[in-house]
Amino acid sequence: MITVQSTINASIDKVWEFWTLPEHIKNWSYASAEWHSPHAENDLQVGGKFKTTMAAKDASISFDFGGEYTLVEKNKAIEYVLEDGRKVEITFEETPDGVKITESFDPETENSDEMQQGGWNAILDNFKSYVESN
């Protein structure tokens, strides 16, 4: 598994809300300024499905990132299986410095582990910036 982490300077309730509500997901779930997320849907419960469309702003490419939840513990943990069968585990931990988010995921085989870690880190950095500035 590959792991990325970040500490968000915000309350656990705000972090959870911004992580899970589609109106917020659309504002941070992409890796660079050339991309955006024009669509997000989220049924946050075990067996529920989610999908976020990630697209280049120039409309040259887009793809859906989606899966099904296997664990949802409010303000603590989310686990899901992606449509290609890879597993993802996310924990939310309150610390004196804010909420520490740890994401661990099974790598895919098309891109290097370093590239995947960099992409997931960039999305997590977008999330941190979005939460801390709103």
Side-chain angles (χ1 to χ4, degrees):
M1 287 198 119
I2 297 173
T3 299
V4 297
Q5 285 185 329
S6 185
T7 299
I8 317 302
N9 184 13
S11 71
I12 187 70
D13 289 327
K14 181 178 181 182
V15 167
W16 184 263
E17 180 179 308
F18 278 44
W19 189 270
T20 60
L21 294 179
E23 61 263 33
H24 291 299
I25 294 168
K26 291 193 295 186
N27 291 310
W28 61 263
S29 189
Y30 45 87
S32 71
E34 297 81 34
W35 285 72
H36 67 144
S37 292
H39 177 79
E41 55 192 67
N42 194 19
D43 181 15
L44 187 66
Q45 61 180 334
V46 172
K49 294 187 188 292
F50 67 92
K51 179 171 73 173
T52 303
T53 301
M54 298 178 182
K57 288 181 179 175
D58 68 6
S60 61
I61 187 172
S62 74
F63 65 93
D64 289 333
F65 180 83
E68 183 175 322
Y69 292 107
T70 56
L71 175 79
V72 176
E73 291 180 20
K74 185 174 184 190
N75 293 349
K76 296 199 179 315
I78 294 172
E79 295 180 6
Y80 55 83
V81 177
L82 293 169
E83 290 170 341
D84 64 8
R86 296 181 296 132
K87 293 184 174 135
V88 179
E89 302 169 355
I90 307 162
T91 59
F92 302 82
E93 178 188 350
E94 289 185 273
T95 75
D97 298 322
V99 178
K100 183 167 90 174
I101 298 176
T102 304
E103 285 187 279
S104 298
F105 61 96
D106 292 333
E108 40 92 349
T109 54
E110 284 182 34
N111 298 293
S112 71
D113 287 3
E114 294 78 18
M115 184 177 176
Q116 292 176 69
Q117 186 169 23
W120 285 58
N121 256 331
I123 294 169
L124 196 51
D125 287 347
N126 271 354
F127 177 75
K128 176 181 174 68
S129 296
Y130 176 67
V131 172
E132 291 180 354
S133 64
N134 284 283

